[in-house]
Amino acid sequence: MNFSEVFKLSGLLCKFSPNGKYLASCVQYRLVVRDVHTLQIVQLYTCLDQIQHAEWSADSLFILCAMYKRGLVQVWSLEQPEWHCKIDEGSAGLVASCWSPDGRHILNTTEFHLRITVWSLCTKSVSYIKYPKACQQGISFTRDGRYMALAERRDCRDHVSVFVCSDWQLLRHFDTDTQDLAGLEWAPNGCVLAVWDSCLEYKILLYSLDGRLLSTYCAYEWSLGIKSVDWSPSSQFLAIGSYDGKVRILNHVTWKMITEFGHLATINNPKIVVYKEAEKSSRLALGYNSFPQLRAIGTLPSAESKYEIASMPVSLQILKPVADRANPKIGVGTMAFSSDNYFLATKNDNVPNAVWIWDVQKMRLFVVLEQLSPVRSFQWDPQQPRLAICTGSSKVYLWSPAGCVSVQVPGEGDFQVLSLCWHLNGDSIALLSKDHFCLCFLETEGVRTTFGQLGDHT
């Protein structure tokens, strides 16, 4: 494992291009594009104001930079640096901007969600979509880029419109049996659309592409409901994280619940491995031998923290929520399936230091990682079951079925890792702090081979 030098960054805006060749980062009003392998600057663009959002087009040829305060979007071309596009929403304002899947249209949402403006880079034409709903996740594209589902609010009712992305024609329009629609998301295969209600009512509805209601699921009533939703990569399972601290798994055949995962504060099952991060006591952290690259170059000279396998029973640190404030820190707010569909990682917000990893094949708890600090972010390797975690400390944590390791980010000063993102090949991770970023390079094949030899701890 190696680390690059540290580069400047603003607003945690750092993203790999979809083709994996480039890395874009923002520094105030500048957009910097680097070659992923050499980290040499390929292009440098100057925007009219501080960049608040940046996004690659799907073909990696264009980059969108949004300046919400000024209602502006600027688009830059990687192949033709002298070409650029400026979109000014004027008095309508701007609160969100994103690419369409074809990388040739931009969807801008105006202030107060009055409308969505669809701008074409090819024909310079403009289309308008009325009544977009202001909610957590109001737009979802199918994985193949053919259709877009949009949450709408009109006449005091929730609706969903399905558009054909090639010409923005309306394909289907139907109302939903929700009190206050909070989000929607297509299954990865594009066949089913999940629509869920706000936290005040536990309800999730599943629709076919033609707008037929396939099923409705409600786990309980008269209590805070759904907090997070995630599809498995195979579209076989739909995971629903709830405010009661449980994840419920629905199957794709009957849309009934097949199991529920509870996040208990005390773990006493000897088949479950609980890794606890501990202050340094030895150069060799647990799991260090699982990563030969670390041994080879001595990346952990001080080994400031390590993982220990806890003996049963284990009591996890619980955060008592403040009852008289909105958005209480309770329930399962973050979930992610591994790319191979084998594992599901979850975080229960009132156990902020723990990441729970579930075996999806056996439908049981597999591993719990308890950190010294609250978990800020975690993300799966796109190529294999390997999870990267950050807690706002100067370390990055990696878990695989073979073990886990704590890695100190080298360099002067305290590099606090607030967020991270994997390269699509799984051979590097961008580590983001408030004002800087660096790349962490992993020798993928070596790690994969070692994991295969070691097997799991259970």
Side-chain angles (χ1 to χ4, degrees):
M1 184 179 291
N2 288 308
F3 290 86
S4 72
E5 63 180 290
V6 173
F7 302 99
K8 288 185 177 180
L9 184 70
S10 298
L12 300 179
L13 295 175
C14 180
K15 297 184 179 180
F16 290 106
S17 61
N19 64 9
K21 294 181 179 179
Y22 306 105
L23 178 66
S25 59
C26 300
V27 185
Q28 302 296 332
Y29 56 89
R30 290 189 179 91
L31 173 67
V32 185
V33 180
R34 287 183 166 85
D35 182 280
V36 161
H37 302 291
T38 65
L39 293 181
Q40 296 296 310
I41 294 177
V42 178
Q43 297 292 346
L44 179 64
Y45 305 101
T46 303
C47 293
L48 295 172
D49 205 338
Q50 181 164 342
I51 303 167
Q52 294 174 273
H53 172 70
E55 186 178 323
W56 286 94
S57 62
D59 56 10
S60 303
L61 295 179
F62 298 94
I63 310 175
L64 168 159
C65 295
M67 291 142 276
Y68 297 136
K69 292 178 182 177
R70 291 183 56 170
L72 286 176
V73 172
Q74 287 185 269
V75 185
W76 306 96
S77 168
L78 217 59
E79 288 187 332
Q80 299 174 281
E82 67 282 355
W83 179 94
H84 79 280
C85 165
K86 184 179 81 168
I87 299 172
D88 189 346
E89 291 290 349
S91 59
L94 182 67
V95 295
S97 184
C98 69
W99 285 103
S100 67
D102 66 359
R104 296 299 179 269
H105 294 82
I106 292 172
L107 281 71
N108 285 345
T109 305
T110 62
E111 282 189 334
F112 309 112
H113 284 72
L114 296 178
R115 71 185 185 203
I116 290 177
T117 312
V118 182
W119 301 83
S120 170
L121 297 186
C122 299
T123 64
K124 298 182 182 180
S125 62
V126 182
S127 305
Y128 298 102
I129 302 174
K130 292 182 178 181
Y131 313 114
K133 182 168 187 184
C135 56
Q136 297 170 359
Q137 192 172 324
I139 296 178
S140 181
F141 295 99
T142 54
R143 193 71 61 90
D144 61 12
R146 295 177 64 186
Y147 304 108
M148 178 188 81
L150 175 70
E152 300 178 352
R153 184 77 174 179
R154 59 173 81 178
D155 300 325
C156 300
R157 287 187 61 84
D158 292 326
H159 301 260
V160 170
S161 288
V162 179
F163 294 88
V164 180
C165 293
S166 58
D167 56 8
W168 301 105
Q169 294 298 308
L170 181 65
L171 178 68
R172 286 288 184 273
H173 175 80
F174 51 91
D175 61 348
T176 60
D177 185 21
T178 50
Q179 295 296 320
D180 184 13
L181 189 154
L184 46 77
E185 186 176 353
W186 289 104
N189 62 13
C191 295
V192 179
L193 179 69
V195 177
W196 58 95
D197 219 322
S198 74
C199 64
L200 297 179
E201 182 166 344
Y202 198 119
K203 182 180 286 186
I204 190 160
L205 305 110
L206 298 147
Y207 292 93
S208 63
L209 184 59
D210 59 4
R212 286 180 295 115
L213 179 62
L214 302 175
S215 185
T216 301
Y217 178 74
C218 173
Y220 54 81
E221 294 180 311
W222 316 118
S223 186
L224 291 177
I226 296 171
K227 192 166 190 180
S228 56
V229 175
D230 194 38
W231 285 98
S232 68
S234 64
S235 303
Q236 290 176 294
F237 305 113
L238 179 63
I240 308 169
S242 311
Y243 277 89
D244 67 348
K246 295 180 179 179
V247 173
R248 292 166 175 85
I249 306 292
L250 306 188
N251 74 81
H252 74 297
V253 179
T254 63
W255 301 114
K256 303 295 183 185
M257 186 185 77
I258 53 176
T259 190
E260 65 179 25
F261 298 146
H263 295 70
L264 300 177
T266 302
I267 300 169
N268 50 25
N269 186 343
K271 291 185 177 181
I272 299 168
V273 179
V274 179
Y275 293 107
K276 291 180 78 90
E277 184 189 4
E279 297 291 347
K280 66 176 182 177
S281 60
S282 168
R283 178 187 172 89
L284 289 176
L286 179 69
Y288 190 48
N289 292 320
S290 300
F291 291 79
Q293 297 77 12
L294 303 182
R295 294 201 313 273
I297 66 172
T299 305
L300 287 175
S302 60
E304 293 190 3
S305 75
K306 63 175 183 177
Y307 280 111
E308 295 176 343
I309 294 181
S311 55
M312 298 296 164
V314 178
S315 294
L316 302 173
Q317 184 178 344
I318 299 177
L319 178 70
K320 189 174 181 180
V322 181
D324 59 351
R325 291 187 184 177
N327 304 313
K329 290 189 177 297
I330 57 173
V332 181
T334 312
M335 298 186 297
F337 281 94
S338 60
S339 58
D340 61 2
N341 220 61
Y342 278 30
F343 299 102
L344 172 67
T346 62
K347 180 192 168 192
N348 189 14
D349 290 343
N350 51 313
V351 190
N353 294 17
V355 175
W356 311 64
I357 299 173
W358 308 83
D359 185 326
V360 176
Q361 287 186 316
K362 297 178 181 178
M363 290 293 172
R364 68 175 182 89
L365 183 58
F366 187 61
V367 166
V368 177
L369 307 176
E370 187 176 26
Q371 309 298 134
L372 290 172
S373 304
V375 174
R376 294 288 302 253
S377 176
F378 58 76
Q379 194 176 77
W380 288 101
D381 181 335
Q383 298 298 325
Q384 58 176 303
R386 181 168 52 177
L387 188 70
I389 304 168
C390 66
T391 63
S393 68
S394 57
K395 292 175 279 290
V396 61
Y397 308 91
L398 296 171
W399 175 87
S400 83
C404 49
V405 66
S406 163
V407 183
Q408 178 75 30
V409 179
E412 298 178 4
D414 189 17
F415 187 100
Q416 296 181 331
V417 186
L418 301 179
S419 185
L420 49 81
C421 59
W422 284 92
H423 186 274
L424 62 89
N425 292 336
D427 55 8
S428 61
I429 314 172
L431 307 177
L432 318 182
S433 74
K434 181 182 177 183
D435 300 313
H436 298 90
F437 79 92
C438 71
L439 288 193
C440 170
F441 298 98
L442 299 98
E443 295 177 20
T444 311
E445 290 302 320
V447 174
R448 186 178 294 148
T449 302
T450 307
F451 286 173
Q453 294 169 348
L454 289 173
D456 65 55
H457 288 296
T458 59

